[in-house]
Amino acid sequence: MNIGVLNSGGDSPGLNAVIEGVVGAASRRGWNVVGFYDGFEGLLSEEGDERFEWLTPAACRGLRAKGGTILGTVNKGNFAIKVGVDQKGAIEPAVLEKTKATVRRLGLDALIVVGGDGSQSTALLLSEIGLPVVGVPKTIDNDLGATDVTFGFYSAVSIVSESLDRLETTANAHQRMMVVEVMGRHAGWIALEGGIAGSADVILLPEIPFSLENVVECIKARKAAGQREILVVVSEGARLADELVLLDEKTQGEVRLGGIGKVIAKKLEEATGIETRSCVLGHIQRGGSPCSYDRILGTRFGSYAVELVEKRQFSCMVALRGTQMTAVPIEEAVKTLKLVDPDCQLVRTARDLGVCFGD
Amino acid sequence: MNIGVLNSGGDSPGLNAVIEGVVGAASRRGWNVVGFYDGFEGLLSEEGDERFEWLTPAACRGLRAKGGTILGTVNKGNFAIKVGVDQKGAIEPAVLEKTKATVRRLGLDALIVVGGDGSQSTALLLSEIGLPVVGVPKTIDNDLGATDVTFGFYSAVSIVSESLDRLETTANAHQRMMVVEVMGRHAGWIALEGGIAGSADVILLPEIPFSLENVVECIKARKAAGQREILVVVSEGARLADELVLLDEKTQGEVRLGGIGKVIAKKLEEATGIETRSCVLGHIQRGGSPCSYDRILGTRFGSYAVELVEKRQFSCMVALRGTQMTAVPIEEAVKTLKLVDPDCQLVRTARDLGVCFGD
Amino acid sequence: MNIGVLNSGGDSPGLNAVIEGVVGAASRRGWNVVGFYDGFEGLLSEEGDERFEWLTPAACRGLRAKGGTILGTVNKGNFAIKVGVDQKGAIEPAVLEKTKATVRRLGLDALIVVGGDGSQSTALLLSEIGLPVVGVPKTIDNDLGATDVTFGFYSAVSIVSESLDRLETTANAHQRMMVVEVMGRHAGWIALEGGIAGSADVILLPEIPFSLENVVECIKARKAAGQREILVVVSEGARLADELVLLDEKTQGEVRLGGIGKVIAKKLEEATGIETRSCVLGHIQRGGSPCSYDRILGTRFGSYAVELVEKRQFSCMVALRGTQMTAVPIEEAVKTLKLVDPDCQLVRTARDLGVCFGD
Amino acid sequence: MNIGVLNSGGDSPGLNAVIEGVVGAASRRGWNVVGFYDGFEGLLSEEGDERFEWLTPAACRGLRAKGGTILGTVNKGNFAIKVGVDQKGAIEPAVLEKTKATVRRLGLDALIVVGGDGSQSTALLLSEIGLPVVGVPKTIDNDLGATDVTFGFYSAVSIVSESLDRLETTANAHQRMMVVEVMGRHAGWIALEGGIAGSADVILLPEIPFSLENVVECIKARKAAGQREILVVVSEGARLADELVLLDEKTQGEVRLGGIGKVIAKKLEEATGIETRSCVLGHIQRGGSPCSYDRILGTRFGSYAVELVEKRQFSCMVALRGTQMTAVPIEEAVKTLKLVDPDCQLVRTARDLGVCFGD
């Protein structure tokens, strides 16, 4: 058997662990593994322009501890799905033809695709041209309903938490407010769990629209009670209640992703009179050696993906349920975004810890 | 309402997070929380020798990030259960009387007990004298069947993993074998997950009896293949197949817990001829600031324990199932030790990664 | 003897270590220490509005490991020096009078001032009104000629280095360029040492004016040689050769401190065609538990400051020279900024490691 | 020019940084670098059994962040100096002949030896057979008088300090004493600086002989004052005052290096009645990614060693004096061990912080 593996979309700590798991599990079965470079693009290899390598356990030993991915990854590319007039998504025929040629040339029996919902949809389209696929979920935001946890998430949460630990000390020394923008466009899990771990005072999420008045009131009450430092964590995708949008003062345009923390910092500083600094954690959240949890989860995902290939459970995605691995049809898995339920026990815990969500 | 909280038995990173969760959740309900010092011993307070304090959210703010426990803890004490001639376990009557007096004096409505199976059994006996109890599981070994994970476990796994990362570099430089003894008397989860995360070559667990011959053969094969360093992780409670015991050379007595790593190191060095060093991680594994995962899990446990008090679900223990909190009757919960199943997917993953279990 | 201690200006990891050192050293001599809150402002205490506390070794135990400062700090305040028509700097008479009253009331024999050059100048003015002072240098930028190293600097360097380690992995995965802005308005030590430790490709400093052309050329050469990731470290105060200034596209005004990284990132992305992300490390650099080096240096500074009080070597500042502590007259110490010499061995080392300075 | 580089003796974090520095500096001069495997042994290469590789900057990029050494190292070997009847040390003639052959064959112009005093003495003997040498000091114990600091030392200190941070929390929770044995056979710098950084109560060093009575008295006083945890740091080479030796109870033999912590723990537990645990940090202290300080110092050492080759300052060793690099004749450098002076300012600082040395 020859199986392929690729990762696609934004990187997440644990990608290399998945690769090591796949290679180890395949090798124990006597199979070969080919790793494609830079997402699906590697499938467009041609003789003279090969964009893959055959991977051995010896070469992959210890890979689970390395950040990034030895295969490289791209966010978009030739395999982006285009929706036609018939409302059905498709990949360009020329791209599919070239892929078929690669599959034939390498004698590929199956492909393991590590990626988010877009990449898994692409994977399904490849299965239609005769390349059986197994999916491994990848979303650092942990926003996929089909699995309890995705790798990379707890590495990101750790970095947010460590950063808050740091910022707390300097905020306390200067009696400042710190506004920290973290990842999470649609789902606020990183802000929620990172904020709980890092003792945030305020957490603003896409799922719980907030009013600035509520936030200001909460902050003022804490200062009045003698608290020196205020820590505010903001998801990239946090939004105001009542469909209001935050406007950029200079441009009067809506604040784009990546800038909301700064705008909120300014407004809170004006409204409370507290000296405020803002900080965008950015790509630090997705970099570096994965935490133990992600090294373990990543290798489990990779190993189990090979089990699914062996059982011929194709067009499925591996998933964690409780302490067990399980398989979920990709088609269903990509449909359900896992959002923070404002009434869930985790949010209740946060409120118990005094967190203000601005609602 | 006045509720008490205490922790009992060996400490585990996240104890303070539980306390902060309890205090926050109670406070939001307008309840008071009293924290007892040094496990159940605090219940033996007397006027003039008070061994407790009333805890406020302000005083507990940020506690979740602190290692140890502000309440102190003891492993055994006056509340140890003694089994009588009728085969029933009991606490000494004088101790119970004194406890009743404290309960009356403080107007205690319920008690939250953070502890292992022994402590939870003690808690049940206290409920029989009219003090309703709710349990929070505490075992750094993660060996309780009733919950997917216990707090402290991933902090310990991280430390094992980091230590292996360190030892790998010096082992490689000197072409040495490193034998690392980690916690786990009855269950090998720390060795298994720590070993996977830290790229161990050999993992020896209580649940998978090993033969030295198998281990030696594996190590020799790796050296022959050109591998410079060998990393061996040993649970305290690892044991030989065929009921054999490891004998201490000097005393000819059976090797006690805490020394097995050194003995195995010596035997492997003799059998393989590879220069070997051993290392007992010991108490470093249970110390220090909890990792993010444990901060979050600990506060969730504490918060949910108060919910159970509110719902009057007494004699139950909080537990994590998947992503949800749930309640399990203490009586059932303490019965089932969660051991590593040699055929489970996690062990298969380890084997895929080349781990030798010596079986 | 009663001695006071205060810290003034921006916080730096190790401030608490200095305080613990001062308190311990004074206590061994049988002296009392009073810590003033929020910089010099604490000297303006009045009965009913006391802004200080008496510090004991027991209360300060372990303080050296804590970030921030238990005394709080302010950047500017009532003690800011105003330059009069006679070109001489002075503090407002009313402020001095109030200070004198506090000194008398507390029976203060000497004051230890932990602060930068501005704060040390203020300290000298206080010595003129009869309050003997000893200085402890504080500049996270390590830009003081009088001492080999200042505390806080290596903590900041560690954070820069760790951040680069993280960013390298994600930059590599996506073949991106990362531009990281770090502290350093006048002196580029943090960028230089952090950049060396974190394997930066390009380091831009205030002391070595750069041309974008040179930087672009270097980056292109590396990409051409097959390097996937490019790491650029920029001091806040980095500046272009030939007196050119970087202009903000929107406002056409000069780019202010705190925004230069983003501007450079944009220009480099345009010129090289490489996908680029920028990151401002900001206050994370000054937060969190000090690294071991700073804990040791901070306590040494504090302890030695008390030795100087004992020897009555007033109007001096403690300093590290090689492995030894020494005393330097404050007046001289504040005059010499320690800048990066473009020809020094550290810069040569960086060049040997392939660093491009854009000159 | 062709220059060789090798490291010899126990590994120390920063070895790879030195190698990267050497390769970068040589490459900028247009020189070639050959790295010899496993210390001096690599010099015994023969055609068909080559034990070296030519190193390029591209291959060494980022090496400074890696623990261990890509060249491998051995503690002793064929180059060990044997002292003859004439009291002069020499290397076996056959070994020297083989070395000469390698030097000729590779066209080696100079050799950079990274090692301790033994290795530097060997290096001097090689210079006598016509191979010019430059030394780079390597001692994780920081016990070389010729340089202010050696690389690896602050990495080790950090690990000791972090371990103490961890142990403090669990010791506090259980009211225990923790006895931690750290590296340092002849010089106690790691115990001293690690102990200061980690807030140790007691530090026992080779240079300050201690009496158990004094230590016991100090510990009892602290417990009496209400301190819950006691942290004791012991150098491997710590020794009792009055020429007394610690006897192993079982064997009645003198306690060897590597076991002193355990013996002291037992004696202190008996004398104080405090529950005590001991911990040997062991090889964890020399493993893992070097701290920023060591990455910088290592690359500086490597770069400067090449400068010395260029200036033909042979038989010298690079050294750090203050902030500057300098060269010291190897012959003098190896003579002076840098020991902790019991009256130095660093020890005074420790005493100010309440440290008991048992003297």
mmCIF file with all atom_site columns, all heavy atoms in Angstrom, chain A residues 237-248:
data_model
loop_
_atom_site.group_PDB
_atom_site.id
_atom_site.type_symbol
_atom_site.label_atom_id
_atom_site.label_alt_id
_atom_site.label_comp_id
_atom_site.label_asym_id
_atom_site.label_entity_id
_atom_site.label_seq_id
_atom_site.pdbx_PDB_ins_code
_atom_site.Cartn_x
_atom_site.Cartn_y
_atom_site.Cartn_z
_atom_site.occupancy
_atom_site.B_iso_or_equiv
_atom_site.pdbx_formal_charge
_atom_site.auth_seq_id
_atom_site.auth_comp_id
_atom_site.auth_asym_id
_atom_site.auth_atom_id
_atom_site.pdbx_PDB_model_num
ATOM 1  N N   . GLY A 1 237 ? -12.955 38.062 16.491 1.00 0.00 ? 237 GLY A N   1
ATOM 2  C CA  . GLY A 1 237 ? -14.304 38.186 15.951 1.00 0.00 ? 237 GLY A CA  1
ATOM 3  C C   . GLY A 1 237 ? -15.341 38.655 16.961 1.00 0.00 ? 237 GLY A C   1
ATOM 4  O O   . GLY A 1 237 ? -16.548 38.515 16.722 1.00 0.00 ? 237 GLY A O   1
ATOM 5  N N   . ALA A 1 238 ? -14.880 39.224 18.083 1.00 0.00 ? 238 ALA A N   1
ATOM 6  C CA  . ALA A 1 238 ? -15.836 39.712 19.095 1.00 0.00 ? 238 ALA A CA  1
ATOM 7  C C   . ALA A 1 238 ? -16.762 40.742 18.467 1.00 0.00 ? 238 ALA A C   1
ATOM 8  O O   . ALA A 1 238 ? -16.342 41.514 17.603 1.00 0.00 ? 238 ALA A O   1
ATOM 9  C CB  . ALA A 1 238 ? -15.079 40.333 20.257 1.00 0.00 ? 238 ALA A CB  1
ATOM 10 N N   . ARG A 1 239 ? -18.032 40.769 18.889 1.00 0.00 ? 239 ARG A N   1
ATOM 11 C CA  . ARG A 1 239 ? -18.905 41.781 18.278 1.00 0.00 ? 239 ARG A CA  1
ATOM 12 C C   . ARG A 1 239 ? -19.872 42.384 19.282 1.00 0.00 ? 239 ARG A C   1
ATOM 13 O O   . ARG A 1 239 ? -20.241 41.794 20.283 1.00 0.00 ? 239 ARG A O   1
ATOM 14 C CB  . ARG A 1 239 ? -19.660 41.203 17.089 1.00 0.00 ? 239 ARG A CB  1
ATOM 15 C CG  . ARG A 1 239 ? -20.530 40.072 17.406 1.00 0.00 ? 239 ARG A CG  1
ATOM 16 C CD  . ARG A 1 239 ? -20.846 39.254 16.144 1.00 0.00 ? 239 ARG A CD  1
ATOM 17 N NE  . ARG A 1 239 ? -21.620 38.090 16.536 1.00 0.00 ? 239 ARG A NE  1
ATOM 18 C CZ  . ARG A 1 239 ? -22.922 38.111 16.798 1.00 0.00 ? 239 ARG A CZ  1
ATOM 19 N NH1 . ARG A 1 239 ? -23.612 39.233 16.673 1.00 0.00 ? 239 ARG A NH1 1
ATOM 20 N NH2 . ARG A 1 239 ? -23.549 37.025 17.182 1.00 0.00 ? 239 ARG A NH2 1
ATOM 21 N N   . LEU A 1 240 ? -20.243 43.603 18.952 1.00 0.00 ? 240 LEU A N   1
ATOM 22 C CA  . LEU A 1 240 ? -21.131 44.383 19.794 1.00 0.00 ? 240 LEU A CA  1
ATOM 23 C C   . LEU A 1 240 ? -22.551 43.857 19.721 1.00 0.00 ? 240 LEU A C   1
ATOM 24 O O   . LEU A 1 240 ? -22.979 43.330 18.689 1.00 0.00 ? 240 LEU A O   1
ATOM 25 C CB  . LEU A 1 240 ? -21.131 45.843 19.342 1.00 0.00 ? 240 LEU A CB  1
ATOM 26 C CG  . LEU A 1 240 ? -19.895 46.655 19.707 1.00 0.00 ? 240 LEU A CG  1
ATOM 27 C CD1 . LEU A 1 240 ? -19.942 47.994 18.987 1.00 0.00 ? 240 LEU A CD1 1
ATOM 28 C CD2 . LEU A 1 240 ? -19.852 46.882 21.220 1.00 0.00 ? 240 LEU A CD2 1
ATOM 29 N N   . ALA A 1 241 ? -23.281 44.011 20.792 1.00 0.00 ? 241 ALA A N   1
ATOM 30 C CA  . ALA A 1 241 ? -24.700 43.669 20.782 1.00 0.00 ? 241 ALA A CA  1
ATOM 31 C C   . ALA A 1 241 ? -25.433 44.640 19.855 1.00 0.00 ? 241 ALA A C   1
ATOM 32 O O   . ALA A 1 241 ? -24.880 45.656 19.432 1.00 0.00 ? 241 ALA A O   1
ATOM 33 C CB  . ALA A 1 241 ? -25.250 43.771 22.199 1.00 0.00 ? 241 ALA A CB  1
ATOM 34 N N   . ASP A 1 242 ? -26.657 44.314 19.522 1.00 0.00 ? 242 ASP A N   1
ATOM 35 C CA  . ASP A 1 242 ? -27.519 45.215 18.732 1.00 0.00 ? 242 ASP A CA  1
ATOM 36 C C   . ASP A 1 242 ? -26.964 45.523 17.362 1.00 0.00 ? 242 ASP A C   1
ATOM 37 O O   . ASP A 1 242 ? -27.138 46.631 16.833 1.00 0.00 ? 242 ASP A O   1
ATOM 38 C CB  . ASP A 1 242 ? -27.740 46.555 19.468 1.00 0.00 ? 242 ASP A CB  1
ATOM 39 C CG  . ASP A 1 242 ? -28.328 46.313 20.841 1.00 0.00 ? 242 ASP A CG  1
ATOM 40 O OD1 . ASP A 1 242 ? -29.164 45.390 20.980 1.00 0.00 ? 242 ASP A OD1 1
ATOM 41 O OD2 . ASP A 1 242 ? -27.924 47.022 21.761 1.00 0.00 ? 242 ASP A OD2 1
ATOM 42 N N   . GLU A 1 243 ? -26.243 44.592 16.790 1.00 0.00 ? 243 GLU A N   1
ATOM 43 C CA  . GLU A 1 243 ? -25.766 44.744 15.419 1.00 0.00 ? 243 GLU A CA  1
ATOM 44 C C   . GLU A 1 243 ? -24.892 45.968 15.213 1.00 0.00 ? 243 GLU A C   1
ATOM 45 O O   . GLU A 1 243 ? -24.631 46.379 14.089 1.00 0.00 ? 243 GLU A O   1
ATOM 46 C CB  . GLU A 1 243 ? -26.965 44.830 14.441 1.00 0.00 ? 243 GLU A CB  1
ATOM 47 C CG  . GLU A 1 243 ? -28.001 43.753 14.628 1.00 0.00 ? 243 GLU A CG  1
ATOM 48 C CD  . GLU A 1 243 ? -27.668 42.497 13.827 1.00 0.00 ? 243 GLU A CD  1
ATOM 49 O OE1 . GLU A 1 243 ? -27.113 42.637 12.732 1.00 0.00 ? 243 GLU A OE1 1
ATOM 50 O OE2 . GLU A 1 243 ? -27.944 41.394 14.337 1.00 0.00 ? 243 GLU A OE2 1
ATOM 51 N N   . LEU A 1 244 ? -24.474 46.582 16.273 1.00 0.00 ? 244 LEU A N   1
ATOM 52 C CA  . LEU A 1 244 ? -23.598 47.736 16.111 1.00 0.00 ? 244 LEU A CA  1
ATOM 53 C C   . LEU A 1 244 ? -22.236 47.258 15.627 1.00 0.00 ? 244 LEU A C   1
ATOM 54 O O   . LEU A 1 244 ? -21.836 46.134 15.873 1.00 0.00 ? 244 LEU A O   1
ATOM 55 C CB  . LEU A 1 244 ? -23.429 48.453 17.450 1.00 0.00 ? 244 LEU A CB  1
ATOM 56 C CG  . LEU A 1 244 ? -24.676 49.210 17.903 1.00 0.00 ? 244 LEU A CG  1
ATOM 57 C CD1 . LEU A 1 244 ? -24.469 49.750 19.305 1.00 0.00 ? 244 LEU A CD1 1
ATOM 58 C CD2 . LEU A 1 244 ? -24.961 50.348 16.925 1.00 0.00 ? 244 LEU A CD2 1
ATOM 59 N N   . VAL A 1 245 ? -21.552 48.111 14.936 1.00 0.00 ? 245 VAL A N   1
ATOM 60 C CA  . VAL A 1 245 ? -20.190 47.770 14.543 1.00 0.00 ? 245 VAL A CA  1
ATOM 61 C C   . VAL A 1 245 ? -19.225 48.789 15.116 1.00 0.00 ? 245 VAL A C   1
ATOM 62 O O   . VAL A 1 245 ? -19.589 49.925 15.393 1.00 0.00 ? 245 VAL A O   1
ATOM 63 C CB  . VAL A 1 245 ? -20.014 47.713 13.006 1.00 0.00 ? 245 VAL A CB  1
ATOM 64 C CG1 . VAL A 1 245 ? -20.821 46.569 12.408 1.00 0.00 ? 245 VAL A CG1 1
ATOM 65 C CG2 . VAL A 1 245 ? -20.395 49.039 12.372 1.00 0.00 ? 245 VAL A CG2 1
ATOM 66 N N   . LEU A 1 246 ? -18.015 48.363 15.322 1.00 0.00 ? 246 LEU A N   1
ATOM 67 C CA  . LEU A 1 246 ? -16.982 49.276 15.788 1.00 0.00 ? 246 LEU A CA  1
ATOM 68 C C   . LEU A 1 246 ? -16.409 50.006 14.584 1.00 0.00 ? 246 LEU A C   1
ATOM 69 O O   . LEU A 1 246 ? -16.049 49.387 13.588 1.00 0.00 ? 246 LEU A O   1
ATOM 70 C CB  . LEU A 1 246 ? -15.875 48.499 16.486 1.00 0.00 ? 246 LEU A CB  1
ATOM 71 C CG  . LEU A 1 246 ? -16.249 47.970 17.875 1.00 0.00 ? 246 LEU A CG  1
ATOM 72 C CD1 . LEU A 1 246 ? -15.178 47.022 18.371 1.00 0.00 ? 246 LEU A CD1 1
ATOM 73 C CD2 . LEU A 1 246 ? -16.382 49.139 18.841 1.00 0.00 ? 246 LEU A CD2 1
ATOM 74 N N   . LEU A 1 247 ? -16.340 51.303 14.677 1.00 0.00 ? 247 LEU A N   1
ATOM 75 C CA  . LEU A 1 247 ? -15.826 52.074 13.549 1.00 0.00 ? 247 LEU A CA  1
ATOM 76 C C   . LEU A 1 247 ? -14.408 52.547 13.822 1.00 0.00 ? 247 LEU A C   1
ATOM 77 O O   . LEU A 1 247 ? -14.067 52.941 14.939 1.00 0.00 ? 247 LEU A O   1
ATOM 78 C CB  . LEU A 1 247 ? -16.727 53.287 13.288 1.00 0.00 ? 247 LEU A CB  1
ATOM 79 C CG  . LEU A 1 247 ? -18.136 52.946 12.806 1.00 0.00 ? 247 LEU A CG  1
ATOM 80 C CD1 . LEU A 1 247 ? -18.906 54.220 12.508 1.00 0.00 ? 247 LEU A CD1 1
ATOM 81 C CD2 . LEU A 1 247 ? -18.080 52.065 11.570 1.00 0.00 ? 247 LEU A CD2 1
ATOM 82 N N   . ASP A 1 248 ? -13.604 52.489 12.803 1.00 0.00 ? 248 ASP A N   1
ATOM 83 C CA  . ASP A 1 248 ? -12.254 53.018 12.877 1.00 0.00 ? 248 ASP A CA  1
ATOM 84 C C   . ASP A 1 248 ? -12.351 54.537 12.814 1.00 0.00 ? 248 ASP A C   1
ATOM 85 O O   . ASP A 1 248 ? -13.008 55.093 11.921 1.00 0.00 ? 248 ASP A O   1
ATOM 86 C CB  . ASP A 1 248 ? -11.445 52.496 11.689 1.00 0.00 ? 248 ASP A CB  1
ATOM 87 C CG  . ASP A 1 248 ? -9.994  52.865 11.810 1.00 0.00 ? 248 ASP A CG  1
ATOM 88 O OD1 . ASP A 1 248 ? -9.683  54.088 11.757 1.00 0.00 ? 248 ASP A OD1 1
ATOM 89 O OD2 . ASP A 1 248 ? -9.161  51.983 11.952 1.00 0.00 ? 248 ASP A OD2 1
#
